[in-house]
Amino acid sequence: MTAVIQVKPGIGDVIWHLPFVRAIAAAAPDGQVTFFAPPTSAARDLLAAEPRVAATVYFQHAGSEWQRGINLVRLVALLRRHHLQSLWILDRTIRPALAAALAGIPERIGLGLGPQSAFITNDGIGQEHFHDHPIDWLRALMAAMKVPLSSTEPNLQVPIALLGAVGERFAQFARPWIAIGIGASHPDKDWSDATWSEFLRALRAPGTVFLVGGPANEALAEEFISVSSSGQIVNACGLRLIEAAALLRLADLFIGPSSGPLNLAAAGGTEAFGLFGSTPVLTYS
């Protein structure tokens, strides 16, 4: 059995990893992989309709030094239970590679940047890639392992029935649909509330504006709507994650910071304006 492990915590991290996961799965003996990721990534919901992912398994990665040590022990036990033949580590971090070695996984494929190289079984990629964007790390790894990578476009699989249900739910709202992503995983990725309020006051959009950002931003969305001068604004922050993915696929335009909704919009082929400040601009879409 082949598995892939990615340690980054965000929804967007699952999205941009997806083309590489598919490429690895296509080269695996049974055409599928088990996907290991932190629960904050919501990978289980996002990949429920992905044919290349046989199962999604959550593990804890972050925390204090003490917690990280406990998490390492638990990860070793988790990997052993799955009786893996091959594990791809899609990051330069050491702990997943160490856990794989301690779990006795025969084939441990990783980037090999820095100390991780002591725990993997492939040669890794050149150290000149150390400061590259993670997407470029994985491009180099696919090339080094001679795994064909046809595209870096995520094209997230959203169930057709769900797309139909979400489209029907909002059918009464005029087109075009402009989705605006509010909130981000870290404040330095996002506009301030005052700037968003200014933007929405100045916005003169035809059709309907949908505010997307997850349940944690529902109250904030209501505040923004109260100060907006735009015609029709819908608070869509209460949608389930996969419903939000469907709405973003159906939208005509997305505007928002480097966050999960931006990646979901790109994964649905929706034209998007991404606001990048503290993070590198994504090199896909």
Side-chain angles (χ1 to χ4, degrees), residues 55-78:
T56 298
V57 179
Y58 286 149
F59 72 100
Q60 296 291 345
H61 182 70
S64 66
E65 289 302 317
W66 168 255
Q67 289 170 323
R68 291 182 182 192
I70 296 297
N71 290 340
L72 175 63
V73 172
R74 290 174 175 167
L75 180 57
V76 172
L78 183 63

Side-chain angles (χ1 to χ4, degrees), residues 33-52:
V33 295
T34 299
F35 187 69
F36 288 80
T40 53
S41 69
R44 193 169 289 162
D45 294 330
L46 289 171
L47 303 182
E50 174 53 50
R52 290 292 186 182

